[in-house]
Amino acid sequence: MERLKSHRDFVTVLKRRRKVSRNDIVVHFLVRDDSSSLRERRLGLAVSKSVGNAVARNAVKRRFRVLARQYENELPERCDVVMRAKPSAAAASFQSLDEQVRSSFSAISRKTADAR
């Protein structure tokens, strides 16, 4: 899974306001309709200081990256995703985050299939 790198890409995904919310995460998504050869899914992470200190934030980001990689095949092609951590994400168990990411990504898949 590629990374969303530019601020402009983050803002584009967040402005569309399509999201799936769970207990500890909010997943914003956008399916690009461009005809470029870029068919990959891209991931951006937003973990603010309200989640905790630098150690806690980095732990949450590592967990998000592992889980996103695990379930990325559930997302449609050309999908940009921004995973935003709620403050409770730092205290959440890995199993809980695993379930939330899985259900979020399958909900995105269902929502984008309905839109087509």
Side-chain angles (χ1 to χ4, degrees):
M1 192 170 227
E2 292 253 338
R3 285 177 44 200
L4 276 178
K5 295 178 185 171
S6 73
H7 177 72
R8 191 168 108 201
D9 290 340
F10 271 85
V11 171
T12 302
V13 174
L14 295 174
K15 275 192 175 179
R16 292 293 170 102
R17 298 186 190 239
R18 298 204 61 195
K19 66 182 177 180
V20 176
S21 184
R22 298 293 182 252
N23 293 341
D24 303 309
I25 62 173
V26 178
V27 182
H28 301 267
F29 65 96
L30 168 67
V31 179
R32 296 183 313 280
D33 56 357
D34 56 7
S35 59
S36 69
S37 62
L38 185 67
R39 301 177 61 93
E40 290 131 1
R41 299 159 186 101
R42 299 189 300 172
L43 172 70
L45 301 176
V47 183
S48 71
K49 288 185 179 182
S50 67
V51 172
N53 63 15
V55 174
R57 291 193 309 270
N58 287 331
V60 168
K61 287 189 272 189
R62 278 194 306 274
R63 288 176 171 191
F64 280 2
R65 280 190 209 102
V66 167
L67 293 170
R69 212 172 296 123
Q70 185 175 344
Y71 295 112
E72 76 176 290
N73 290 328
E74 293 195 27
L75 296 172
E77 288 183 346
R78 289 194 286 272
C79 186
D80 289 346
V81 172
V82 174
M83 294 175 68
R84 187 167 50 87
K86 292 181 181 177
S88 58
S93 70
F94 187 81
Q95 287 178 319
S96 172
L97 290 175
D98 181 43
E99 174 60 30
Q100 291 176 54
V101 171
R102 186 195 57 72
S103 69
S104 296
F105 281 18
S106 28
I108 290 170
S109 182
R110 282 192 310 275
K111 285 184 176 191
T112 55
D114 293 343
R116 292 181 200 167

